[in-house]
Structure formats: C-alpha cells, structure tokens
C-alpha cells in the first residue's frame, strides 16, 4: 500500500501484485490453500494506519481503493506496508456506512465473529456464531402468538428486535442460517444514535457475502451425528471489469442430538450482483430466501423441590434430557424473502453518498405446546411416585394457540459522509435519514378440546381426538388476551419510524478526537384485535411519540496501534414498535412508556505484533429505566417501572501468536442489579439471565504448514456462570461449560477435510432460557466436513 500527499487528499493504492480477494473479504495470496491453512498472517494487508495525522481506515466489507482527505500519491511518497491476521477482530469492518471505521477505530465495545472462526467451528446458524460472544444468552418467547425463532439478550437485555443485516433491520421471526455470512458484529451498549429505537444491550449486525473481483468457486458438504446432512455452495463470477455476481446456497436436514422429536429441514439461496465494481459509483443488489420447517422446542420445566427455596430445571433431578412434551400438531414453518439494494457513490474526493434499501416478506405458521410441571406434578415427582407425575401443555390463559403470520416490511437509509477541514481541525460528518415501516397480520386457530397432559417421565406426542379448527368454529377456545382484550381471532399491527441522524467526528490534534451526534425519531404504531367472541368489543390502539438519542465519544490515539476512548450514549425502546415479535405489542394499561437506557464506557484497543494480535478492554455502566417485562405464561411484553443497572468489565484477545498458532478469547464480568421496583423485594437482586462471569476461548495450531502432511488441531471452551431466571431470584439454571474440538487436513491447494466435535464432555447444558423453563443444549456430537475451493 502506498500513502502520499498532494492536493490535501488521501489515496490508498494496492501494490500487492498477484493477490486475489478471498471469499472472507480479506486479501490473500491467489495461490493460497483452502481453509484455515490458506493464509500466512504476515501476508494479509489490512487497512488501519495513521499517515500525516489522519487515520486511513477500511470502510467496506472488502479491501479496495480508498480516497480519504489528508494525503496522496505524489512522487517520493512514503510506502507503508501494514500486516495483520484474519483472526484479529480489530481489522474487521462493522459493516454499515453509519459506522464507517473498523473495530479498532470505533469507540465502543464490539465483538466480531470472523469468517475464519466460523469456518473452523463449522458454524451453521446465527445462534452458533454468537456462542463466541460473552454476555449473549438466548431466550424463548412463549404464549399464544408469542415469539420463537432467534432472540437474544445482550448484557442481559432483550435484543430480539436488534438483529440487522448490513445495517438494515431484519424484522423476521425465524431461525437464521449462516450460509451467507461473511462475519457477524455485536455492537455492545445503547446505539440508538446509529440504529434508531432499540439496542438497549446492543445490536447484532450480520455482514453478508457480496460479489468481489476475480472468480472463485466453493462447495461444502457436512454429515454426522443425529442424521445431520448439510451442503453449501459459494460461487463468485466476475463478468467484466466492473461487474461481478455471486451465488450462495444451502440445504440442511438435521435432528438434535440429545433431544427427541426435534428437527430442522431448511434450504436457502442468496444471489447478488455488483455493478461498478471498484468504481466511484457502485450498486449491489441482493436477494435472500430461506425456508425452514422445524419443530419448536419449549424445553423442560423449572421446579422447586420441597424444602428448597430455589427452583432448578427438572432435568437436574434425573428426568431425561431427551424428553420433549409437545404434540404431533407442533410445527414452526417459515418462509423469508428479502430484496436489498446498496448504493455507494463517491461524488467528490471529500464526500461519499450511501443509500441502502430493503423490502421483506415473511410468512410463518406456528404451533407449539407449553409444558408445565405444576404443583401436583412436582409433589408426585418428589414424593416417590414419579411415574404418576403429569405435565400440562396448554400454557396460561388457555394458550398457546396455533397461528398464521404474514408480514411485510420496508426500510430505506440514506447517509452522506463528508470529510472537511476547518483550519487545522479535521471533521468527518455523517448525516442522513432512515424510514422503516412494518405490518403484521395474524390469524389464530383453535383446538377442538383441551390438550391433555402427558407423563413427565415418558411423554407421548399423541393426543387422542385432537383436531385443529378455524377460530370461528370454536371462538370460546381462543386464548384470553390481557387487559380486557378478550378472545380474538385476528391481530393486526403496523409501525412506522422516521429518523434523522447527524454526527461529527472532530480531530482536534492528531492524537485526540471527539465524536458527537444525535438521532431524532418519530414513530407511530397501531394495533387491532378483532373477531372471535362477540361479547367482547374489538380493540383498536394507536400510539405516536418523538424521541431524541444522543451519543458522545472521546478518543485518545497516541500512536498508530492504540486507542483509548470514553463513550456516553442513550437509547429508547418502545415496546409497541416491534409488532412482528409479540402477540400484543403493547398493553392498554402500560401508558406506552418506552424503555430508556444510558451507557458510560471507557475502553482501550491495541494492535500488537504488526497487527497479528488485537487486544481490547472495556469498563462500562449501563442503566435502564422503565424496563420491559415478559409474562411467563403468555409471552406478552409490557412496560414496568423497574430500574436496572449492569456494570462490568469485558476483555478480548484475537489473532495469531505465531504463524501457525491462532487464538481468539473473550471474558466478561457483570455486576447487575435491580435498583428500583414497585416490588420492593426485587430491589438489589441480580438481573435475570445475566451471568456474573462468562468466557470463550478458541485456538488452533497447524503442523506441517505448506506441506502435504499438514494437520491443524483446534479446540475451545465456552463457559457461562449460573444465572437467575426471574427478577425475584428464586429460580436459576446451572453453569454452562462446553468443550469443542476440530482437526483438519488440506489436500493440495483446493481440498480440505475436517472433523468437528461438539460438547465432548456430553455435559447437560441449557441454551434457551425463560422464567419457568429452559431448553437442554445439544449432546455430544460429531460432524465431518469436506470442502473444495477453486
């Protein structure tokens, strides 16, 4: 890379002849081998370096020519070569124009799951990818019309509405496959100034695979435990000098080792094309489709043993982890379609325009059974008559009922990035607007009779005589919605959010910068519950509100490889805005008060060993007012008066210790408390789902690199300390400890064989958590993989 100055502009000129762009979006030798053996970390040029007081950063998913005010390419200029590692997360882009800098130069705690790590672990879903991020737990929404699919908590706070793809919100309620992922970023803490409403604990941004220069062809096949079969394709074809197309596709069938009846049958396809490749004006069109037919898993009940004050999962007392308490009617069938367009236009050396647009259509049929081991069941089980213990599976208020959901959404984000000087002070100004609209339409179904319970020890999925009916055939069998809404057939919701954002990153001197910005949002939402029992009037509710969310950051950069920062930010989360995720998106007695959060964070990021290793540390305090609560019986979300606080420390290290030895590790310590509540006994208690300690570690070592006898060994541990499941701290789930491993061998330049082992200790862990139930995680399993790349 050469960096030089002329006319006050920066030009980054690639000088690496014979290099090709890999599918992971980083530069690597064209003749590199397949898989994790492919890249010598000393061969990977990366972007971040300071020249003449300005910072040159990677601004896109892929390395490319960049023009930034400050330096240029005049004769005699200084040539700076920057080296790095595919595992060093500080080199990754966040993946959206509104946060244009790489992780190293973004003043916020950010965890990245890089593509190389996903390849080594043979990651197959968003859930599996996020197991590498401390402070993220999965929860299960329940109830009549409640939410399943992907939903996560970040730092203990709900983030099911905060999943983004290339910076645009993904409104769908489905389990996301990872076949089209380049990398996944988790931006910790309130970020409403960037993303709009939400992001109390943070945001999850998926960066997808898009067309690149050169042609490449990849195919993968995996097979293993629990009848797991999976195939993926990744084809990139450069059509001409300025146009390239890419196609990724997936087919997947699997059961779940350690759980009876649970399976997923899914397929997906994601074609994309880029016009204006490596030009000042480019446009990328992406289409995504995923079909998934799976069995929903509501897990096992949490019970309190007589004489004990703390509830635990029933499986901790000897009930088989394989037991599933659903019926033959249970099904989660989703179809997701999204069409996106991304425009980048460098209209002048100092200004770049971006416009990102997406339309989405989501269809879903959902039917699940909510098993509960109540008082009678618990007494039978612990009294010595365990064979007589029977669980119910109707849930609270007569639900859950099956339903059919049809949604559509639209979002457009326009932004401009301008780099200007006022005297000796450099400004990076980002401004734009964001328009999003989503509509949700649901039809409820009913059963002709109450679903009978089943044996706790030997459950049966068959319910004699059970039939599914249209809601108008037996409206009295509908679930009773709260707040006097009653038993209704149809639930319709719509929400619109219009936002304007502005920020200015001011470089006062070459070692100190200030970033300040805000976002103004006006949102409107409506909800209607109609049909069903005629004695209860139809319900129509609407709400509108205007919110402002600021952000201020201070950045101290004494040299090219160190940044120390302070970040203060706020966020707003209205429960009524996310109509696709809740049966009743807001309650009539909640006064519509949105959740408000505030973050104070100080941190440091350091690049070591010529960019091969990256280290981060962050101390934070996150305060939340009017926190949302979820009813354990219905899954409905409403506002509360609770005040909560989470503060702690997060650490990470990633990269290559030596040429053959890579590592990525994280640790988080959280001190979380309820600081105010109408329930006085809850004050001072730990926040539900928030572990005090959690950590991840993954490392690989290659023997015989660049020889025909090469072997790469790898393994790691994921640990999450026990957590409380309720605000009163009366039920908890034990610690999670998972040991995984892999071994791989590269044959020539094009073939790779690998074997992965998961939960090698076959430990009884728990993944999805909720107030009164948890889902046992996958048991010991193995997966074989063969990959070809040309």
């Amino acid at each position: 890379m050469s960096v030089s100055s002329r006319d006050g502009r920066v030009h980054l000129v690639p000088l690496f002849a014979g290099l090709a762009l890999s599918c992971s979006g980083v530069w690597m030798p064209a003749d590199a081998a397949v898989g994790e053996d492919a890249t010598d970390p000393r061969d990977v040029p990366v972007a971040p370096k300071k020249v003449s007081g300005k910072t040159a950063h990677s601004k896109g998913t892929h390395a490319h020519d960049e023009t930034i005010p400050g330096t240029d390419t005049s004769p005699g200029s200084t040539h700076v070569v920057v080296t790095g590692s595919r595992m060093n997360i500080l080199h990754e882009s966040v993946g959206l124009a509104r946060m244009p800098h790489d992780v190293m130069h973004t003043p916020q705690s950010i965890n990245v799951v890089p593509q190389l790590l996903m390849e080594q672990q043979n990651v197959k879903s968003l859930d599996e990818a996020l197991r590498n991020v401390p402070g993220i737990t999965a929860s299960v929404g329940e109830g009549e019309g409640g939410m399943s699919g992907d939903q996560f908590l970040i730092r203990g706070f709900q983030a099911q509405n905060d999943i983004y793809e290339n910076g645009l919100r993904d409104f769908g309620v489905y389990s996301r496959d990872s076949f089209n992922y380049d990398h996944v970023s988790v931006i910790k803490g309130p970020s409403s100034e960037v993303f709009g409403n939400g992001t109390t604990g943070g945001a999850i941004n998926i960066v997808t695979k898009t067309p690149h220069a050169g042609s490449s062809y990849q195919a993968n096949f995996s097979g293993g435990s629990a009848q797991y079969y999976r195939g993926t394709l990744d084809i990139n074809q450069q059509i001409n000098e300025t146009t390239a197309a890419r196609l990724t596709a997936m087919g997947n069938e699997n059961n779940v080792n350690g759980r009876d009846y649970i399976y997923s049958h899914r397929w997906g396809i994601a074609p994309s094309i880029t016009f204006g490749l490596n030009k000042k004006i480019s446009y990328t069109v992406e289409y995504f489709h995923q079909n998934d037919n799976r069995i929903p898993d509501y897990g096992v009940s949490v019970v309190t043993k007589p004489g004990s004050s703390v509830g635990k999962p029933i499986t901790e007392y000897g009930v088989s982890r394989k037991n599933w308490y659903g019926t033959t009617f249970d099904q989660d069938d989703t179809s997701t379609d999204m069409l996106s367009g991304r425009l980048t236009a460098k209209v002048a050396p100092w200004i770049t325009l971006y416009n990102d647009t997406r339309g989405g259509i989501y269809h879903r049929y959902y039917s699940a059974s909510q098993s509960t081991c109540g008082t009678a069941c618990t007494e039978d089980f612990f009294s010595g008559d365990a064979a007589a213990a029977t669980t119910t599976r109707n849930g609270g208020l007569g639900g859950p009922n099956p339903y059919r959901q049809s949604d559509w959404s639209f979002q457009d984000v326009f932004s401009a990035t301008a780099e200007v000087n006022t005297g000796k002070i450099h400004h990076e100004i980002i401004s734009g607007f964001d328009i999003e609209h989503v509509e949700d339409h649901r039809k409820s179904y009913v059963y002709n009779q109450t679903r009978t319970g089943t044996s706790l020890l030997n459950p049966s999925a068959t319910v004699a005589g059970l039939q599914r009916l249209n809601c108008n055939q037996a409206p009295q069998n509908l679930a009773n919605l709260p707040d006097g809404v009653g038993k209704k057939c149809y639930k319709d919701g719509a929400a619109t959010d219009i936002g304007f954002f502005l920020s200015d990153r001011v470089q006062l001197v070459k070692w100190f910068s200030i970033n300040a910005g805000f976002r103004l949002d006006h949102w409107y939402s409506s909800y209607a519950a109609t049909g069903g029992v005629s004695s209860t009037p139809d319900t129509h509710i609407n709400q509108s509100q205007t919110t402002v969310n600021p952000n201020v950051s201070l950045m101290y950069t004494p040299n090219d490889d160190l940044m120390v920062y302070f970040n203060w930010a706020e966020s707003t989360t209205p429960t009524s805005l996310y109509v696709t995720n809740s049966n009743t998106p807001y309650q009539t007695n909640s006064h519509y008060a949105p959740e408000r959060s505030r973050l104070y964070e100080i941190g440091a990021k350091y690049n070591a060993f010529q960019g091969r290793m990256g280290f981060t540390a962050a101390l934070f305090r996150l305060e939340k007012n009017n926190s949302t609560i979820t009813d354990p019986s219905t899954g409905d979300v409403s506002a509360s008066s609770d005040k909560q606080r989470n503060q702690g420390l997060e650490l990470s290290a990633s990269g290559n210790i030596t040429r053959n030895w890579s590592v990525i590790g994280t640790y988080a310590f959280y001190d979380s408390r309820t600081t105010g509540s109408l329930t006085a006994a809850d004050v001072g208690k730990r926040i539900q789902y928030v572990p005090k300690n959690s950590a991840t570690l993954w490392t690989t070592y290659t023997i015989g690199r660049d020889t025909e006898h090469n072997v790469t060994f790898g393994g790691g541990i994921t640990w999450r300390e026990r957590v409380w499941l309720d605000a009163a701290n009366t039920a908890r789930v034990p610690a999670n400890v998972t040991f995984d491993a892999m071994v791989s061998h590269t044959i020539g330049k094009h073939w790779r064989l690998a074997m992965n082992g998961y939960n090698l200790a076959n430990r009884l862990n728990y993944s999805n958590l909720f107030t009164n139930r948890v889902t046992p995680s996958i048991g010991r399993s193995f997966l074989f993989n063969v990959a070809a790349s040309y």
Side-chain angles (χ1 to χ4, degrees):
M1 180 184 307
S2 87
V3 183
S4 55
S5 61
R6 181 185 60 203
D7 303 328
R9 293 179 292 176
V10 173
H11 301 271
L12 306 186
V13 182
L15 299 178
F16 301 94
L19 297 181
L21 200 60
S22 76
C23 293
S24 65
V26 296
W27 288 91
M28 59 189 296
D31 60 350
V34 177
E36 73 279 356
D37 302 332
T39 307
D40 182 337
R42 296 172 299 184
D43 295 336
V44 184
V46 294
K49 269 295 177 182
K50 280 192 173 180
V51 184
S52 303
K54 303 294 185 288
T55 305
H57 300 139
S58 170
K59 289 197 173 184
T61 304
H62 303 295
H64 57 283
D65 292 355
E66 199 70 60
T67 305
I68 306 172
T71 62
D72 78 1
T73 57
S74 59
S77 62
T78 302
H79 290 236
V80 181
V81 177
V82 187
T83 59
S85 162
R86 290 177 68 194
M87 195 68 86
N88 183 352
I89 67 172
L90 296 184
H91 301 322
E92 294 281 8
S93 69
V94 179
L96 62 155
R98 306 187 299 286
M99 299 181 75
H101 300 282
D102 58 10
V103 174
M104 171 72 189
H105 297 92
T106 301
Q108 197 164 350
S109 181
I110 298 175
N111 292 102
V112 175
V113 185
Q115 188 185 75
L116 177 57
L117 180 62
M118 291 191 285
E119 290 173 354
Q120 292 176 347
Q121 295 180 348
N122 200 359
V123 164
K124 300 165 290 296
S125 65
L126 177 61
D127 175 64
E128 290 183 12
L130 293 178
R131 292 173 192 172
N132 294 285
V133 179
I136 285 193
T137 52
S139 65
V140 176
E142 307 183 16
E144 198 279 325
M147 179 182 176
S148 186
D150 285 333
Q151 51 181 316
F152 304 99
L153 300 107
I154 304 176
R155 290 177 172 173
F157 301 122
Q158 288 286 353
Q160 72 264 36
N161 304 304
D162 300 317
I163 300 175
Y164 294 80
E165 187 178 280
N166 301 318
L168 296 174
R169 196 186 299 272
D170 186 348
F171 291 93
V173 183
Y174 63 104
S175 297
R176 293 161 177 83
D177 194 280
S178 60
F179 74 97
N180 195 39
Y181 291 3
D182 184 87
H183 62 277
V184 180
S185 302
V186 179
I187 302 98
K188 299 284 187 69
S191 303
S192 284
E193 184 261 326
V194 174
F195 293 99
N197 291 294
T199 70
T200 299
I204 299 163
N205 187 52
I206 300 161
V207 180
T208 61
K209 297 177 179 179
T210 52
H212 58 75
S215 297
S216 61
Y217 314 95
Q218 283 191 351
N220 280 266
F221 175 77
S222 297
S225 302
Q227 297 180 303
Y228 213 123
Y229 304 102
R230 178 180 176 86
T232 63
L233 286 175
D234 185 353
I235 299 172
N236 188 89
Q237 182 68 48
Q238 185 165 354
I239 300 172
N240 55 43
E241 183 181 351
T242 61
T243 307
R246 192 166 185 173
L247 172 68
T248 61
M250 167 275 301
N252 190 106
E253 290 194 6
N254 70 276
N255 298 333
V256 175
N257 207 32
R259 295 291 289 156
D260 288 339
Y261 297 102
I262 305 302
Y263 65 78
S264 171
H265 300 165
R266 61 185 185 270
W267 65 274
I269 189 169
S272 57
I273 186 168
T274 295
F275 304 96
L277 193 68
N278 296 327
K279 297 297 182 180
K280 292 183 178 180
I281 298 178
S282 66
Y283 192 74
T284 298
V285 180
E286 299 177 75
Y287 171 70
F288 172 85
H289 174 83
Q290 180 181 310
N291 255 85
D292 190 1
N293 184 6
R294 65 174 58 223
I295 298 296
D297 190 359
Y298 274 39
V300 299
S301 295
V302 173
V303 300
T304 303
K305 183 179 180 179
S308 174
S309 60
V310 176
K312 296 180 181 179
I314 193 71
T315 42
E316 292 297 302
Y317 299 104
V319 172
S320 174
R321 67 194 291 177
K322 294 184 176 183
N323 284 2
W324 179 73
Y325 298 99
T327 75
T328 54
F329 285 83
D330 290 4
Q331 183 182 7
D332 187 0
D333 192 356
T334 61
S335 175
T336 301
D337 294 271
M338 293 186 292
L339 180 64
S340 307
R342 289 189 282 163
L343 171 69
T344 302
K346 195 168 194 61
V347 296
W350 57 277
I351 187 169
T352 304
L353 306 179
Y354 304 91
N355 195 81
D356 300 333
T357 307
R358 172 176 297 148
I361 297 176
Y362 312 93
H363 294 287
R364 187 184 195 203
Y365 173 77
Y366 189 74
S367 176
S369 300
Q370 183 176 312
S371 168
T372 303
C373 184
T375 302
C377 171
T378 303
E379 290 177 352
D380 285 341
F381 179 73
F382 288 108
S383 67
D385 191 14
T390 301
T391 71
T392 63
R393 44 189 171 192
N394 282 288
L397 300 175
N401 282 324
Y403 67 91
R404 191 173 300 279
Q405 183 177 10
S406 297
D407 300 343
W408 69 271
S409 67
F410 172 83
Q411 185 176 13
D412 185 84
V413 181
F414 171 82
S415 62
T417 300
E419 302 205 30
V420 297
N421 294 326
T422 55
K424 295 183 178 180
I425 298 176
H426 181 71
H427 299 263
E428 181 185 62
I429 302 171
I430 300 175
S431 182
F433 61 84
D434 181 355
I435 301 172
E436 63 182 53
H437 178 80
V438 60
E439 292 195 9
D440 174 78
H441 305 281
R442 302 190 189 202
K443 176 184 178 181
S444 294
Y445 296 89
V446 295
Y447 291 114
N448 62 324
Q449 64 186 44
T450 299
R451 282 162 286 181
T452 57
T454 188
S455 169
L456 176 66
L457 300 185
N458 299 293
S460 171
T462 301
V463 180
L466 189 66
Q467 297 179 22
R468 195 202 75 175
L469 307 175
N470 285 322
C471 61
N472 55 13
Q473 293 179 277
Q476 292 295 336
N477 292 354
L478 286 164
N480 193 34
L481 300 178
D483 290 341
V485 175
K487 299 183 176 184
K488 294 298 176 181
C489 281
Y490 305 100
K491 278 84 71 175
D492 297 289
T496 302
D497 186 3
I498 300 175
F500 168 80
F501 51 89
L502 173 67
S503 68
D504 188 3
R505 184 166 175 149
V506 183
Q507 186 170 350
L508 299 175
V509 292
K510 68 177 183 179
W511 49 267
F512 183 72
S513 302
I514 299 175
N515 185 81
F518 73 95
R519 173 162 169 149
L520 173 69
D521 281 276
H522 178 78
W523 47 269
Y524 173 85
S525 58
S526 61
Y527 173 73
T530 60
V533 177
S534 59
S535 59
T536 305
D538 292 344
T539 297
H540 297 272
I541 311 172
N542 59 69
Q543 177 186 11
S544 64
Q545 192 164 342
T546 300
T547 61
V548 178
N549 291 289
N551 176 282
V552 176
S553 301
L554 310 178
M555 292 158 282
Y556 170 62
T557 52
N559 56 55
D560 296 346
D561 296 311
L562 174 65
M563 182 175 76
V564 179
Y565 68 88
F566 170 78
N567 182 35
W568 172 77
E570 291 188 349
S571 71
T572 303
T573 305
T575 60
S576 61
L577 197 58
Y578 309 110
V579 297
T580 62
N581 298 339
S582 177
N583 178 57
T584 52
Y586 48 86
Q587 308 300 306
T588 57
N589 63 359
S590 67
H591 305 294
Y592 312 138
E595 182 179 273
R596 295 284 299 178
S597 305
R598 182 177 293 112
L599 172 72
Y600 307 90
E601 180 174 295
I602 184 170
K605 303 181 182 185
Y606 179 60
N607 259 321
F609 313 120
Q610 293 184 313
R612 291 203 317 269
M613 288 291 297
F615 300 91
T616 70
L619 286 167
F620 74 92
R621 182 184 180 97
L622 178 57
E623 299 171 343
K624 184 173 74 167
N625 295 328
N626 197 43
S627 63
T628 57
I629 56 175
T630 305
D631 188 286
S633 297
T634 67
D636 294 322
V637 178
S638 59
S640 77
S641 62
D642 284 6
K643 297 180 180 180
Q644 297 176 333
R645 181 220 67 208
N646 190 16
Q647 59 188 12
L649 168 70
E650 293 181 338
L651 305 171
S652 76
S654 60
N656 283 73
I657 298 174
T658 68
R659 180 188 183 194
N660 298 318
W661 183 11
S662 69
V663 64
I664 183 166
T666 62
Y667 168 74
F669 167 80
Y670 294 152
D671 174 25
S672 63
R673 291 286 184 271
T674 297
T675 56
S677 176
L678 293 178
T679 306
D682 291 348
V683 177
K685 300 292 180 65
R686 291 190 64 86
I687 301 174
Q688 62 191 117
Y689 313 129
V690 182
K692 188 173 183 179
N693 293 279
S694 60
T696 67
L697 175 67
W698 179 263
T699 183
T700 62
Y701 190 84
T702 301
I703 300 173
R705 177 185 289 273
D706 302 325
T707 72
E708 62 181 5
H709 305 294
N710 67 86
V711 179
T712 297
F713 298 94
I717 182 174
T718 302
W719 169 59
R720 182 193 70 211
E721 200 172 13
R722 64 185 185 181
V723 299
W724 294 105
L725 297 175
D726 61 339
N729 290 181
T730 61
R732 67 187 178 204
V733 66
N736 263 20
V737 182
T738 303
F739 297 96
D740 300 331
M742 61 83 66
V743 59
S744 70
H745 170 61
T746 299
I747 304 173
K749 298 180 179 180
H750 302 293
W751 290 84
R752 175 179 178 265
L753 304 176
M755 176 71 78
N756 287 80
Y758 306 97
N759 193 12
L760 295 177
N762 202 32
R763 178 183 169 90
L764 176 55
N765 292 315
Y766 301 94
S767 52
N768 296 342
L769 310 179
F770 203 64
T771 306
N772 53 5
R773 63 183 42 79
V774 295
T775 304
S777 300
I778 186 173
R780 183 191 297 117
S781 56
F782 298 91
L783 209 57
F784 174 78
N785 175 261
V786 57
S789 178
Y790 289 87

